[in-house]
Amino acid sequence: GEDVEQSLFLSVREGDSSVINCTYTDSSSTYLYWYKQEPGAGLQLLTYIFSNMDMKQDQRLTVLLNKKDKHLSLRIADTQTGDSAIYFCAALGNYQLIWGAGTKLIIKP
Amino acid sequence: EAGVAQSPRYKIIEKRQSVAFWCNPISGHATLYWYQQILGQGPKLLIQFQNNGVVDDSQLPKDRFSAERLKGVDSTLKIQPAKLEDSAVYLCASSLVVTSGGYNEQFFGPGTRLTVL
């Protein structure tokens, strides 16, 4: 079946850029999403990209999509302590989202 | 605008007991989802409603889990009897009407953390 994969952890220094990667298997996915989950909180949509786009920028966030390789990345510029969270990649299939296991972003002072 | 409400926030039960979770979606959202999120994993869709009809319940363990959305608004998810492996966070989400391949922002509630002892 469809699958979405992410690395489990990423550690960066405060002020550096963070790049979280994701691969997916369903080439017909129309939308790809990045959600953020902070401890004890629900999932919050950060950004999304439509499959006919290569890049989307929104303030400190940049999403890159390589449709040929089915690879999605989220870049967070000038990473702050408030960015500590788990980041989930999700791909929209026919009617439902297929989720990755999440990447925990750890910020070093 | 009020978000998705869920209760209770935490629940501890013993195996073989029953438990129920409640969700109130964002007003006007026709689609409601229940997800199970086991520690260290992404959310797994259990059931999806559009209004009060079931769109997808293929991953719902129907021998012990049930869900309803009688008036197309609030929903309850029940587990009876609970097993140890049901320990997880149960997330409710809602969205506007979903069309195949269409944009679908799901808004999530804070979840109910269930511990089965």
Side-chain angles (χ1 to χ4, degrees):
Chain A
E2 295 101 3
D3 194 22
V4 173
E5 293 198 354
Q6 307 176 235
S7 52
L8 292 182
F9 297 97
L10 176 66
S11 179
V12 298
R13 291 203 178 280
E14 190 175 358
D16 286 352
S17 291
S18 307
V19 179
I20 303 170
N21 295 301
C22 168
T23 57
Y24 60 99
T25 57
D26 184 2
S27 57
S28 67
S29 293
T30 51
Y31 288 91
L32 296 124
Y33 302 83
W34 286 103
Y35 277 82
K36 178 182 181 182
Q37 187 174 42
E38 294 179 274
L43 289 150
Q44 174 197 357
L45 179 66
L46 273 182
T47 187
Y48 67 94
I49 189 167
F50 187 51
S51 57
N52 69 351
M53 297 169 66
D54 298 324
M55 185 182 88
K56 181 178 180 181
Q57 190 152 1
D58 183 2
Q59 299 182 343
R60 291 192 299 123
L61 305 178
T62 303
V63 179
L64 294 177
L65 175 61
N66 181 329
K67 201 173 175 185
K68 174 176 166 288
D69 294 338
K70 297 197 275 287
H71 181 268
L72 182 73
S73 68
L74 173 70
R75 179 177 178 268
I76 305 172
D78 186 25
T79 309
Q80 303 298 309
T81 54
D83 296 323
S84 289
I86 301 176
Y87 291 82
F88 289 90
C89 170
L92 181 63
N94 198 17
Y95 278 96
Q96 62 172 272
L97 291 177
I98 309 300
W99 296 79
T103 298
K104 184 168 185 175
L105 180 60
I106 300 163
I107 316 298
K108 296 180 287 189
Chain B
E1 176 184 276
V4 177
Q6 289 188 249
S7 68
R9 291 294 310 274
Y10 304 92
K11 190 75 178 178
I12 301 174
I13 61 172
E14 295 190 347
K15 60 183 180 185
R16 290 187 288 273
Q17 285 187 321
S18 302
V19 65
F21 313 125
W22 173 82
C23 172
N24 181 239
I26 291 173
S27 177
H29 280 192
T31 308
L32 184 147
Y33 313 78
W34 282 104
Y35 288 91
Q36 180 192 59
Q37 187 179 18
I38 292 172
L39 188 65
Q41 298 181 18
K44 172 185 146 186
L45 180 69
L46 292 176
I47 189 165
Q48 178 181 339
F49 292 96
Q50 189 132 299
N51 297 308
N52 59 350
V54 175
V55 173
D56 184 350
D57 63 356
S58 56
Q59 298 191 93
L60 186 74
K62 296 180 188 65
D63 57 334
R64 297 184 302 105
F65 286 65
S66 64
E68 59 184 13
R69 194 184 184 202
L70 290 175
K71 296 180 181 177
V73 181
D74 293 6
S75 177
T76 55
L77 175 70
K78 296 179 182 175
I79 309 175
Q80 179 180 3
K83 292 185 175 181
L84 296 176
E85 59 260 36
D86 299 331
S87 292
V89 175
Y90 290 84
L91 296 165
C92 179
S94 70
S95 69
L96 294 170
V97 171
V98 174
T99 57
S100 176
Y103 173 65
N104 171 17
E105 179 175 357
Q106 296 183 22
F107 295 82
F108 284 80
T112 298
R113 182 176 296 277
L114 173 68
T115 303
V116 182
L117 303 175

